[in-house]
């Protein structure tokens, strides 16, 4: 069987095929098909099921190109592996799950089943907890959903907060003004924002109070209406801080709480607000808890292996063999 696909212009070809047609080579290797460039398009040659899957993949990847986005190796590999592994997820479903984060067509895409469930939970629930290891996209996807909600006018502002636990939340002994004191703890949140929005817009929104990035201690005494509020590194929040934060939630707001209970920097890590919230609120129907695992890791492939190796080591340490 062969399948022909034509494109409207050379820009589409460049964005889709990649430099030196490297994306076509990846698809050929992953699906066991042969792809031949012909005129203004391509011809896919191979066994019927694989050709069909390749054609569906190309239609999915074209949704990136239509937004002016380059197709990357990760877009191809993660999509193929997810569709292969999860029978209820197809390329049409993946196309619907993309998150638009800028007027220029910037797109963030979930790459695992857990990430899709996480995004769906944020869409349908006002309060979501996401617990999982490093590299699973917890913070990045939440910020993408916040930027998307602001873009669509669903909220009036974005509030991002983290506990500055290493500085004891007082921050008094650090040099500089308040901004300089807290910036090292909040920098990862700014990094994600700058990935999704133009720096000038981030700065303008920050000056206008539309985007606020602040330490958790600054949330006390406030009511946060019409806001998308994200508490990052929640494993470093004490139980009293967690309760304080959760009771700040106002009307027409969404709150996402993110953390990894195995990575607490608190003096008594077993007594942290995230673990307590999981225990106390886990059975409240209106509150959604999403638990990501090393299988949801979307950083360099070594990150997943590192997470699993450390988890195995911790297990052996707690239960040493005689």
């Amino acid at each position: 069987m062969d399948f022909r696909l034509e494109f409207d212009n050379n820009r589409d070809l460049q964005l889709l095929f990649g430099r030196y047609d490297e994306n076509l080579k990846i698809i050929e290797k992953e699906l066991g098909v042969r792809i031949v460039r012909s005129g203004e398009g391509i011809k896919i040659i191979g066994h019927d099921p694989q050709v069909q899957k390749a054609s569906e993949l190309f239609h999915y990847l074209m949704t990136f190109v239509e937004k002016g986005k380059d197709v990357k190796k990760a877009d191809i590999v993660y999509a193929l592996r997810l569709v292969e592994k999860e029978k209820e997820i197809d390329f049409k479903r993946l196309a619907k799950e993309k998150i638009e984060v800028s007027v220029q067509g910037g797109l963030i895409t979930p790459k695992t089943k857990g990430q899709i469930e996480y995004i769906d939970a944020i869409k349908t629930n006002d309060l979501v907890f996401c617990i999982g290891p490093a590299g699973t996209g917890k913070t990045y996807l939440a910020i993408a959903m916040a930027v998307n909600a602001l873009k669509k006018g669903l909220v009036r502002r974005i509030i991002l907060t983290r506990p500055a636990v290493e500085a004891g939340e007082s921050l008094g002994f650090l040099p500089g003004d308040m901004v300089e004191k807290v910036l090292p703890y909040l920098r990862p949140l700014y990094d994600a924002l700058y990935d999704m929005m133009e720096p000038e817009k981030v700065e303008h929104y920050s000056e206008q109070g539309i985007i606020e990035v602040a330490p958790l201690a600054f949330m006390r005494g406030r009511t946060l209406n019409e806001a998308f509020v994200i508490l990052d590194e929640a494993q470093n929040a004490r139980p009293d801080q967690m309760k304080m934060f959760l009771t700040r939630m106002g009307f027409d707001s969404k709150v996402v709480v993110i953390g990894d209970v195995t990575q607490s920097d608190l003096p008594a890590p077993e007594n942290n607000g995230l673990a307590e919230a999981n225990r106390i609120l886990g059975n409240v129907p209106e509150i959604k808890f999403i638990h990501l695992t090393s299988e949801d890791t979307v950083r360099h492939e070594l990150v997943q292996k590192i997470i699993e190796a450390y988890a195995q080591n911790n297990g052996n340490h707690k239960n040493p063999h005689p």
Side-chain angles (χ1 to χ4, degrees):
M1 175 183 178
D2 61 39
F3 174 84
R4 296 177 184 273
L5 182 63
E6 295 185 354
F7 304 95
D8 294 334
N9 54 56
N10 288 330
R11 187 206 67 167
D12 290 353
L13 298 180
Q14 184 177 0
L15 294 176
L16 181 59
F17 294 173
R19 187 174 56 178
Y20 306 121
D21 292 347
E22 59 185 357
N23 290 343
L24 300 186
K25 297 172 186 175
I26 293 169
I27 296 171
E28 286 182 325
K29 179 180 177 181
E30 292 285 332
L31 292 179
V33 297
R34 187 160 64 93
I35 301 173
V36 180
R37 295 187 62 162
S38 59
E40 297 300 317
I42 58 172
K43 181 168 69 171
I44 308 169
I45 304 169
H47 296 297
D48 289 4
Q50 298 305 95
V51 170
Q52 179 64 30
K53 184 172 291 187
S55 67
E56 293 172 358
L57 172 63
F58 274 110
H59 282 105
Y60 165 68
L61 297 177
M62 280 301 298
T63 64
F64 291 80
V65 174
E66 289 164 0
K67 294 292 184 179
K69 182 180 184 298
D70 287 302
V71 175
K72 305 295 186 183
K73 175 182 177 181
D75 298 323
I76 299 169
V77 174
Y78 278 114
L80 282 171
R81 292 178 182 173
L82 181 56
V83 170
E84 179 68 25
K85 183 177 180 181
E86 307 295 341
K87 301 305 180 184
E88 70 273 22
I89 298 175
D90 57 19
F91 291 114
K92 291 182 180 179
R93 168 84 183 275
L94 283 182
K96 294 178 181 178
E97 297 291 351
K98 295 195 303 297
I99 309 166
E100 293 190 27
V101 293
S102 73
V103 294
Q104 284 76 20
L107 298 172
I108 306 296
T109 58
K111 294 178 172 61
T112 70
K113 181 182 179 182
Q115 289 189 349
I116 290 176
E117 292 174 348
Y118 180 30
I119 290 173
D120 288 344
I122 295 174
K123 290 177 181 176
T124 56
N125 296 271
D126 290 336
L127 175 55
V128 175
F129 286 78
C130 185
I131 300 172
T136 51
K138 303 183 301 294
T139 303
Y140 203 79
L141 289 173
I143 294 178
M145 291 296 288
V147 172
N148 178 265
L150 183 66
K151 176 175 176 286
K152 292 181 176 179
L154 302 177
V155 296
R156 292 192 299 110
R157 53 184 172 155
I158 297 172
I159 299 173
L160 310 176
T161 184
R162 300 179 82 176
V165 66
E166 296 91 341
E169 280 290 346
S170 66
L171 305 169
F173 66 88
L174 292 176
D177 60 22
M178 185 54 64
V179 173
E180 292 170 329
K181 291 175 190 290
V182 303
L183 186 58
Y185 306 99
L186 305 177
R187 173 55 62 189
L189 302 178
Y190 280 109
D191 289 344
L193 282 173
Y194 286 133
D195 273 356
M196 301 174 199
M197 304 175 70
E198 300 82 357
E200 298 79 12
K201 181 165 285 188
V202 174
E203 293 169 8
H204 174 70
Y205 281 172
S206 298
E207 292 170 358
Q208 298 296 314
I210 296 172
I211 292 179
E212 179 181 351
V213 184
L216 179 58
F218 285 27
M219 298 297 108
R220 191 173 301 278
R222 303 175 63 182
T223 301
L224 307 174
N225 295 318
E226 298 180 76
F228 199 117
V229 191
I230 299 172
L231 171 58
D232 192 33
E233 299 289 345
Q235 75 276 359
N236 289 330
R238 301 187 310 269
D240 62 306
Q241 290 178 313
M242 179 62 73
K243 182 180 178 181
M244 175 274 293
F245 171 77
L246 294 177
T247 54
R248 302 306 93 202
M249 187 174 183
F251 292 106
D252 299 316
S253 289
K254 279 192 179 290
V255 175
V256 182
V257 179
I258 301 159
D260 177 359
V261 291
T262 69
Q263 296 293 322
S264 177
D265 295 314
L266 292 169
E270 71 280 357
N271 184 30
N272 67 69
L274 180 59
E276 182 179 86
N278 190 19
R279 177 176 58 83
I280 294 175
L281 304 175
N283 293 324
V284 178
E286 295 83 1
I287 301 176
K288 185 70 174 179
F289 281 80
I290 298 294
H291 293 268
L292 301 180
T293 70
S294 61
E295 291 186 358
D296 297 296
T297 303
V298 293
R299 291 181 182 171
H300 193 287
E301 55 265 24
L302 278 178
V303 174
Q304 181 174 345
K305 296 180 180 179
I306 291 169
I307 293 170
E308 292 171 347
Y310 270 95
Q312 182 178 2
N313 178 74
N314 291 338
N316 292 337
H317 179 72
K318 293 178 181 178
N319 301 288
H321 294 294

